[in-house]
Each structure stands twice: as structure tokens, then as C-alpha cells.
């Protein structure tokens, strides 16, 4: 079953974009509420740090990573869309938010805008932004490990370990480092693929895998979900490059055209816009194929694969 | 039983400083070897980040936090001085190293020297130092969660959660934030105590607690160890203030007198050098008292409490 099976349901595209939009919106609302609950505003001397953490983590974003956690978990268990899955969803959004706060710092990408708002170091200051990122990373692990209505011990520990591997030096942060080092020199297509597999891909792949862990997937199911996550992660970054080259800052909510300005080696620079789009399409088809054994329950995840390359922001 | 019981064994001081020094040195060597094993140098595009992580985490320091983990674990189980305890010891040293790398950044304390060497952002660059701190934090959690010869699942998860609470916004990072905000204005003694209980105290307290968790301490034992850790953590910071006011940069291996230069509210500024020393002494006595039920096995931990206030670096 590929996503072509859904093509009759929408006139504007070959997938059910409205059902997906509703599903994304619904889960994003629950994730937002969970983040609000997990990072409650405090008074006293800690107030400013927590306020800045809330600024960085709340109020925006598509919550794509959190959506993946909850939607994949629901594949395995209808009741998985409960507290435990949404805690894990909020956790990965905290981890993602930390990476954005640090990426935007002057010593890194030096970006003033994020989600159409001043980035955290612009809204507060640089020291606060460093500490906000640090604290959000810690909180992401705390939330996974926390006792409560959460799943059993072994599941929580698997989540902690899988997130740590995906986000550390051999994952997201390693990719960020390669990205920094690659500025100003030409990277090969394989190098660009490797960079993005780490920088963006690992956390998206983790998000899908976290859902499988929560759902107590067997080894084969988990591997298929990992493949799906890996492919949409790769497609996501290619689509991001295409967006950076073609969309406006208003659409993006962040500075547009900055890859070109920074002379970064992108998929668009290496493959052209059409070549990049073709590669993304191929990844989306393969991602949908990985979901075949899950049947109709995976409809929204197949829609998401398409959405990843067709979004305009 | 207080540390006065050890007073006959040393002429230079009222505790067995030589036995402690040997014990510290022995465990520091094992911790160093564990860090070396856990952060192996790699080749390829990740090489520079890993090299910088090793620069920040290896080669130096008293390994006080790691020592606490292993020495407290050994209170409960002679075989606790094994792989699991040293993994947890290496983990807290990674966490500590990350906090130093970020604290030294230009936007934070802006310090060029650390352990007598260029701080990480001076040796490498600022972006690398941000990522090194991020990756070392992640690695600290990965090491705790990792499967292997490590203790059982529930113990590992307890360690992850306890470390996250100690090091996040309500712990170490929260203290760092209050410290930043407090610069340039006068803090009360209670505010200074609260600041340091978070900034330095939480991680030292965690280190002792981690040993108790590894040793499967009962609730009463764990609470006593937590009290011990809390008190030596507080004493440690007061001693640090005294050192900053009285020692040379050569002795410290970092810039001396910088608290005064930054007009920071310190224990020395609020209590005077003698008053600060008296408070540290009282904390050390109480710390030793907390260990009474552990008898002779806690001799080195009692020595450590004394050492914390008598060290010159």
C-alpha cells in the first residue's frame, strides 16, 4: 500500500491533507498543554529562567516530532495516545527546542528570528539562551525518566537511551558540528546526506522509534518504523533546502535564503531544485512502503510523509 | 563518631590526609580510564567534536564528584566499586565538565583558563564549546541508561531521574542563572546560600546520592547520605569563596580574585574570611555526623569532608 491509495480523497493533492491537518492540530494542542504542564511558571529567583524556557518551548511549531511519537504509539495501542505518549512527545519537543535555541546563538547560526518571533537570545540575552537550552535538554530526559502514569521502567529506560544516542555527538549535535565545519567549503552529496541524517534526521527517526518503543513493537515492527522515520527525516531536510531557496521569510517565520547567503552546500546546490524534489519524492514513497504491514491504521503517517515534502513552512 | 576519631593519624592535620589522597588518586585514575573508554577518539567528520569533548572531560580535576559516587557505593557493597559505579562516576564528571565548558563561555563567566589550561572555547572556538557542553550532557545521561554490566533497570532509571532533577532548571542550571542575575547587585546571605545550594550543591549532593542508589540503600540510609552530600556541597562552595579570596591563580589553575573583580556577593563578602571558615567547619562536622551509622567504612568520606574545606585548589 503506497500513498497513491489516498489520492482520490483530495482534489488539491494526492493525499488527505485535511484529515492530516486536523490530526496534527489536535495532537499539537495536547502536546502544547502537556508542555505547559511540565514547565509551569514559577515565582522567585528561578522565574526568569523558567519564563525563558517557556518562551522557547511553548507557543508554536508544527510539533512534527511530538506528533510522530503519539501517532506511531497509536498504531500499536489505541490507548497509547494517553499521558505516557504525550509525555514522550513533549520530551522530544523540549529536546528540539533546546537545539533551536543553541543553533540560533551568535556563535552558531546567529539567527534573530524563530517561528516569526525574536529568537531566545534576542528576546532575553545570550547567557539566558545558553542556560535555557541546557535546562530544556535536561528536562527532556527528566520527563522520560519520571515516574507517574508513564509506562514501565524498561520502556522509559529504552526511551532515555534511544534519545541520548539520537541527540548526542553521534547524532544531532554531531550533525550540527559537521554543519559548522562545512561552512565555506564544498561538501559532496554523500557528505551533505550524512550531515543531515545526523543533524535533523536522527531526532525525527527517534520520534517515530519512540512511538514504537511505547507501543512495545516487536523487532521487525520497530525496524520498519525506524526506516519510515529515517526516510521522512531525510525528505524533511531536502524539502527544507527547497523551501529555503523558494519561500519567503514571511512563509517560513525565519530568515529565508540564508543557506545561499552562507554559501552552504545544500541539496538544492548539489541537485538543483527539481533534482532535490525528485529525491524527496523517492524517499516519501519508500517511507510509505515501510508502513505497509500496519494497514489503514497508518493512513495519517502516510499522509505525513507527503506533507513533509509539500509544506510551505 | 565524628572525624576527631581520626585525629591521631596525621601530624599535619586532624584527619588522615594521606589515606584520602591515595584513595582519591586511585579512584581518579579509574574514573579517568573510564572516561577515556566512554569517549573514544574517532576519525572522520565527527573527529573534531569528539576531540574537544575529550579535551573538556579528560585530563584533570580532582574528580571529587566521581569519587563520591564510587566511595559511597562502596559503603553498601564492596563489589560496588566495579564497572557500574565507575560508569556513574564518569557520568557525573561529564555532567560537571559540560557545566564548566558553558560557564566559561564569553556570554557567561568569560573565563580563559580552566584547570591551568585554555578553556574549551579558547582552545577550539565558541561554537565548538557550546556543542561540546551539549554533547557531554547528553553523554552523561546515555552512560547512565546504557545497558551492559550496569545495575538493574530500576537503579539506572533512578540515577537518570535524580541527575536530571539535580542538574536542570531547579538545580545546577537554575543556580547558574541566579548567579548571572545576581551580578552587580547585593545578595543577602540566604540568597547566596540558595544560589550555591543549587549551582554547586545539587550536583555534589547527587554524587553522594548516586552512590546510595547504586548501593540500594534503604530510605533512612539514603537520607543520611543526601544530608552528608548537601553539607559537604555547601562547605565546598564556602571554601571555594575563601580560596578565590586568598589563593593565587597558579594554585587554583584558574583566574583568581574574579569574584571580587565581578563584585559578586560571596560568603567571604558577607561573613568575612573567618566567618566563612567557621560556617564551613560547622557544615563539615554535621556532614561527618550524618555518617555515624556507617562506622569505620565511612572513614574516607569523613576525611573528604575535612579535605573539602582544607584544600588549596
Amino acid at each position: 500500500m503506497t500513498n497513491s491509495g489516498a489520492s482520490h480523497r483530495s482534489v488539491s493533492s494526492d493525499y488527505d491533507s485535511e484529515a492530516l491537518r486536523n490530526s496534527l492540530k489536535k495532537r499539537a494542542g495536547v502536546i502544547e498543554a502537556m508542555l505547559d504542564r511540565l514547565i509551569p511558571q514559577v515565582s522567585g529567583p528561578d522565574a526568569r529562567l523558567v519564563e525563558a524556557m517557556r518562551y522557547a518551548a511553548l507557543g508554536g511549531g508544527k510539533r512534527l516530532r511530538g506528533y510522530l511519537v503519539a501517532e506511531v504509539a497509536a498504531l500499536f495501542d489505541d490507548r497509547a495516545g494517553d499521558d505516557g505518549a504525550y509525555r514522550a512527545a513533549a520530551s522530544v519537543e523540549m529536546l528540539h527546542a533546546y537545539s533551536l535555541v543553541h543553533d540560533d546563538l551568535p556563535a552558531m547560526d546567529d539567527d534573530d528570528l524563530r517561528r516569526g518571533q525574536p529568537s531566545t537570545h534576542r528576546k532575553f540575552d545570550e547567557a539566558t539562551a545558553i542556560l535555557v537550552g541546557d535546562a530544556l535538554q535536561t528536562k527532556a530526559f527528566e520527563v522520560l525518566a519520571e515516574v507517574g502514569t508513564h509506562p514501565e521502567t524498561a520502556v522509559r529506560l529504552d526511551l532515555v537511551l534511544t534519545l541520548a544516542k539520537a541527540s548526542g555527538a553521534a547524532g544531532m549535535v554531531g550533525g550540527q558540528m559537521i554543519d559548522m565545519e562545512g561552512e565555506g567549503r564544498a561538501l559532496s552529496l554523500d557528505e551533505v546526506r550524512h550531515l543531515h541524517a545526523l543533524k535533523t534526521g536522527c531526532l525525527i527517526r527517534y520520534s517515530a522509534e519512540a512511538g514504537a518503543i511505547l507501543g512495545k513493537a516487536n523487532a521487525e515492527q520497530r525496524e520498519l518504523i525506524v526506516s519510515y522515520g529515517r526516510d521522512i527525516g531525510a525528505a524533511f531536510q531536502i524539502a527544507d533546502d527547497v523551501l529555503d531557496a523558494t519561500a519567503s521569510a514571511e512563509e517560513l517565520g525565519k530568515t529565508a535564503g540564508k543557506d545561499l547567503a552562507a554559501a552552504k552546500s545544500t541539496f538544492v546546490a548539489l541537485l538543483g531544485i527539481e533534482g532535490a524534489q525528485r529525491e524527496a519524492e523517492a524517499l516519501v514513497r519508500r517511507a510509505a512502503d515501510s508502513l505497509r504491514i500496519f494497514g489503514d491504521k497508518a493512513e495519517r503517517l502516510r499522509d505525513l510523509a507527503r506533507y513533509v515534502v509539500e509544506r510551505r513552512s
Side-chain angles (χ1 to χ4, degrees), chain A:
Chain A
M1 188 188 305
T2 70
N3 50 286
S4 64
S7 62
H8 64 283
R9 291 192 316 217
S10 167
V11 287
S12 68
S13 182
D14 66 341
Y15 72 102
D16 193 343
S17 63
E18 197 185 323
L20 177 67
R21 244 193 300 273
N22 289 338
S23 180
L24 274 167
K25 202 173 158 188
K26 185 175 145 250
R27 292 207 192 273
V30 185
I31 293 167
E32 193 76 17
M34 180 62 87
L35 285 165
D36 182 55
R37 203 179 96 193
L38 290 170
I39 314 173
Q41 185 57 59
V42 297
S43 59
D46 322 349
R48 187 175 156 88
L49 177 60
V50 175
E51 182 196 342
M53 289 171 72
R54 289 173 59 88
Y55 180 79
L58 287 169
K62 293 173 290 287
R63 305 301 182 195
L64 174 68
R65 290 157 193 79
Y67 181 81
L68 273 169
V69 175
E71 187 68 21
V72 171
L75 272 188
F76 296 92
D77 180 0
D78 292 338
R79 287 178 42 251
D82 67 2
D83 209 53
Y86 280 110
R87 288 179 66 89
S91 160
V92 74
E93 291 293 340
M94 289 175 192
L95 204 296
H96 180 54
Y98 122 64
S99 78
L100 299 181
V101 171
H102 280 188
D103 280 8
D104 287 341
L105 285 167
M108 306 275 285
D109 287 357
D110 194 14
D111 221 317
D112 291 347
L113 269 182
R114 172 64 64 183
R115 291 172 183 162
Q117 303 290 328
S119 45
T120 304
H121 68 277
R122 295 290 294 171
K123 177 78 178 179
F124 294 83
D125 57 68
E126 216 177 312
T128 302
I130 293 168
L131 295 173
V132 160
D134 290 347
L136 283 173
Q137 179 179 183
T138 320
K139 190 77 188 174
F141 286 107
E142 182 187 326
V143 165
L144 285 185
E146 186 76 83
V147 212
T149 53
H150 215 63
E152 65 202 58
T153 309
V155 167
R156 279 185 269 152
L157 199 65
D158 198 351
L159 291 170
V160 168
L161 184 58
T162 309
L163 177 59
K165 287 186 188 258
S167 66
M172 183 186 80
V173 171
Q176 182 62 29
M177 182 76 187
I178 297 171
D179 199 16
M180 288 284 148
E181 289 194 284
E183 270 174 51
R185 77 175 178 90
L187 299 180
S188 71
L189 185 56
D190 276 352
E191 286 177 311
V192 171
R193 284 199 181 105
H194 178 64
L195 186 171
H196 291 301
L198 297 180
K199 187 183 169 189
T200 334
C202 276
L203 202 60
I204 293 179
R205 191 264 303 145
Y206 159 80
S207 303
E209 190 172 8
I213 294 169
L214 286 158
K216 298 192 192 174
N218 65 33
E220 188 205 352
Q221 292 167 328
R222 181 161 167 172
E223 196 37 60
L224 286 166
I225 291 295
V226 164
S227 295
Y228 165 81
R230 197 180 284 126
D231 285 339
I232 65 165
F236 182 86
Q237 184 56 46
I238 297 175
D240 227 43
D241 280 3
V242 172
L243 272 173
D244 186 83
T246 59
S248 68
E250 198 181 344
E251 283 177 295
L252 290 175
K254 62 182 178 185
T255 311
K258 65 177 175 157
D259 291 343
L260 194 65
K264 282 202 178 183
S265 304
T266 66
F267 289 102
V268 169
L270 288 158
L271 296 170
I273 289 179
E274 279 186 29
Q277 280 169 327
R278 257 197 311 276
E279 179 150 330
E281 290 288 335
L283 287 163
V284 162
R285 275 192 300 276
R286 197 169 70 182
D289 281 348
S290 296
L291 299 177
R292 201 173 297 162
I293 65 164
F294 300 105
D296 288 349
K297 286 183 118 177
E299 210 52 67
R300 289 296 84 71
L301 292 170
R302 276 185 283 268
D303 292 344
L304 184 70
R306 285 234 66 78
Y307 166 78
V308 154
V309 298
E310 293 186 6
R311 70 205 160 88
R312 290 302 299 164
S313 69

